[in-house]
Amino acid sequence: MLRAAPVFSVIFFAVMGAALVRAQAKAPAFSIPAWVDRGKCTEAPTFGPTLNGKPATVEKQLAPGSDQVILIVLDLTGDLSRIDEAKRAVASNISRLPRNVWVGLLRAQDGLHVLADPTANRQAVTDTIQSVTSSGTPGLLETLRATLSLADAIIRKSPVRVSVLYITDGSIYNYREDYTDPVINPSDKHDLSRRFRDVLINEKISKLERRISSLEAPLFVVHLQYRQSQLDLAYQNGLDALAKGTGGETVICRSTSEIPQAISHIFTRISDVWGLVLSVPRKSHRELQVGLKASCGGQDVQISWRPHFRPQEE
């Protein structure tokens, strides 16, 4: 079981400090998330990892059902009917979590703000969720690295599984920073910016992918409103790429009725995650290609995992 609330709270606020995040030197090991087909595995699986094609060692494995921290980040600015549906679904899923799962709540508007530090008190978290208002501008892109850095520090500090879940409804047009890539030369019909309006968005996503590639927690995103404009599609595709790069997942809801199912699906995926700690090679490349097999009773089973990791530079 996790430690008492006051002790863990101290750890949580300690890792929020930038000094601690910066102090994390290149680790001798790193954690990746993995998922095993539960229907074909009635016993603990045996994992066979590789790094850049060479056999690697699993130093430690945290199974589904072991201690866990879920950091939920609310990034809500739009349709109240969708937001209310999402709040109800999140509260319902939190109420069904095991007692050794601690839930922290943050808000992404105007910087990253902690609304509730990780706790097993379900009612306190759900009450806080219901009290959050939708206002301001989207903050996912600006707060993502800080949130994953916080999760990363918790992973390195405590033997727990940690996942990050963003509940968001933002449009790329509503960000405080302008990602719409306006036409540079409106008098020139051949101006390439007319044809590649999503350049700024793709550049932002690429930079974020590099910056979070050495952080260990899987990212999950539930976007409450699918949008079809060219720039919003590029943004939504970018969210999907960011989540998949960490081993996580993005679900984008096309209607209000899809929201409860999407949130329930993500909570199930978060609960089912294995945390596998792998040794970092002495002479590691700038990016590690992670291979992974799993077997139960001598039979290979279907598995998914984080395929890439970039060790922190010293």
Side-chain angles (χ1 to χ4, degrees), residues 217-265:
L219 167 67
F220 298 88
V221 179
V222 175
H223 197 297
L224 306 182
Q225 186 167 358
Y226 175 80
R227 294 183 174 88
Q228 300 186 61
S229 73
Q230 177 186 353
L231 297 188
D232 272 315
L233 286 174
Y235 172 58
Q236 290 162 181
N237 289 337
L239 297 182
D240 186 55
L242 289 168
K244 286 181 177 177
T246 67
E249 182 179 353
T250 293
V251 179
I252 301 176
C253 303
R254 293 176 178 265
S255 66
T256 303
S257 62
E258 292 182 359
I259 291 173
Q261 182 179 358
I263 290 175
S264 179
H265 166 74

Side-chain angles (χ1 to χ4, degrees), residues 88-100:
R88 286 191 290 270
V90 171
S92 176
N93 279 275
I94 288 175
S95 70
R96 296 195 295 269
L97 292 172
R99 291 189 59 82
N100 65 332

